Amino acid sequence: MALTNQLFPHLPLPMLKKTLLKAVHAAAEVIRGFDDQDFLVSNKEGINNLVTEVDHVSEKVIIQTIKDAFPTHDIISEEVGELLQDSEYKWIIDPIDGTVNFAHRIPICCISIGIEKSGEMIMGAVFNPFMNELYVAERGEGATLNDKKISVSKKEKVINACLVTGFPYTYLDEPNGPLQTFERFIRKGVPVRRLGSAAIDLCWVAAGRFDGFYEHKLQAWDSAAGFIIVEEAGGKVTNLQGEPYSPYQPGIIASNGVIHEELVQVVNHGWTS
Ligand code: IPD
Ligand code: CA
Ligand code: CA
């Protein structure tokens, strides 16, 4: 699909952003094309760690779109891995985040693409083609949902918060693992949802639908775009210990910023009262 600037009709888009949007729209088109069609589903390591043929086609279209515009940029993408050329730009791609949902025709999944320049995340887009929700953020320019500015919630206490989390495909047996942390919130009556797409979890924090998100074991492509979208919506993202975030390590806590310290405390040590 040609990028006809439907979302930003008045702006001449810089090449990077234009390509980013073109890539997510092209992938969305592919994904929607399988709406009423069967597709092959197989599993990676772990019986329910699924990959579909649609993940591969979506990835192919995204990579081709990037290569057409920026043949020398680095790419890291979930299914093909690293395509590195020593560029200062790196595109971090999840061709379908929420593959288990997608394979079950649950419309909570998305395309997620983040762009790093010299190791700093500078731009990201997350598109749920079934809900028609496009989240975009650019460093210093704020975050949008379908071209409207979004911002995080104002909730002040974790006890009043609505949280979201995710679980790894295989059981993580470690102190303060996902189940222990989950139990800690549930025993206090704090709602913790599980949508099945880390990128959408992050965007829904950015949009103020959730007050916080935590997860123990993610990959760079799960969080690269969502991370900058939360930050640009006024939120905070750290690792599980509350230290500066890097998508290249597994744990993440994202929040509206106000409840962040308390959320880090509860995730790591439990409630103080
Ligand atoms: C998964 C989703 C899920 C998270 C898993 C991820 P995938 O990505 O983001 O929410 O809990 O850890 O692997 O496999 O659907 O791309
Ligand atoms: Ca993913
Ligand atoms: Ca994926």
Side-chain angles (χ1 to χ4, degrees), residues 78 94 96-99 169 197-199 218-219 221-223:
E78 180 169 11
D94 197 333
I96 299 182
D97 185 56
T99 295
Y169 289 109
S197 161
L218 291 181
Q219 303 286 342
W221 43 77
D222 298 315
S223 65

Side-chain angles (χ1 to χ4, degrees), residues 154-225:
K154 296 186 168 56
K155 207 58 66 71
E156 289 178 4
K157 289 197 173 308
V158 174
I159 194 74
N160 307 119
C162 184
L163 305 176
V164 64
T165 191
F167 296 89
Y169 289 109
T170 46
Y171 186 70
L172 241 199
D173 194 9
E174 59 182 34
N176 278 322
L179 284 177
Q180 288 93 326
T181 314
F182 186 59
E183 182 177 357
R184 207 171 275 156
F185 289 110
I186 299 310
R187 282 189 183 279
K188 274 272 188 184
V190 174
V192 184
R193 305 298 184 230
R194 196 276 174 96
L195 299 185
S197 161
I200 292 180
D201 296 338
L202 284 162
C203 288
W204 286 23
V205 170
R209 294 173 185 169
F210 292 123
D211 308 296
F213 163 66
Y214 67 88
E215 189 156 349
H216 290 71
K217 201 174 170 210
L218 291 181
Q219 303 286 342
W221 43 77
D222 298 315
S223 65

Side-chain angles (χ1 to χ4, degrees), residues 224-249:
F227 150 50
I228 182 171
I229 292 168
V230 170
E231 288 193 338
E232 286 299 318
K236 186 166 177 175
V237 184
T238 64
N239 67 10
L240 284 179
Q241 288 70 45
E243 294 152 355
Y245 185 66
S246 158
Y248 301 101
Q249 49 80 62

Side-chain angles (χ1 to χ4, degrees), residues 75-88:
I75 290 173
I76 161 171
S77 186
E78 180 169 11
E79 311 307 337
V80 295
E82 292 184 328
L83 307 170
L84 303 180
Q85 306 188 68
D86 216 14
S87 166
E88 61 177 336

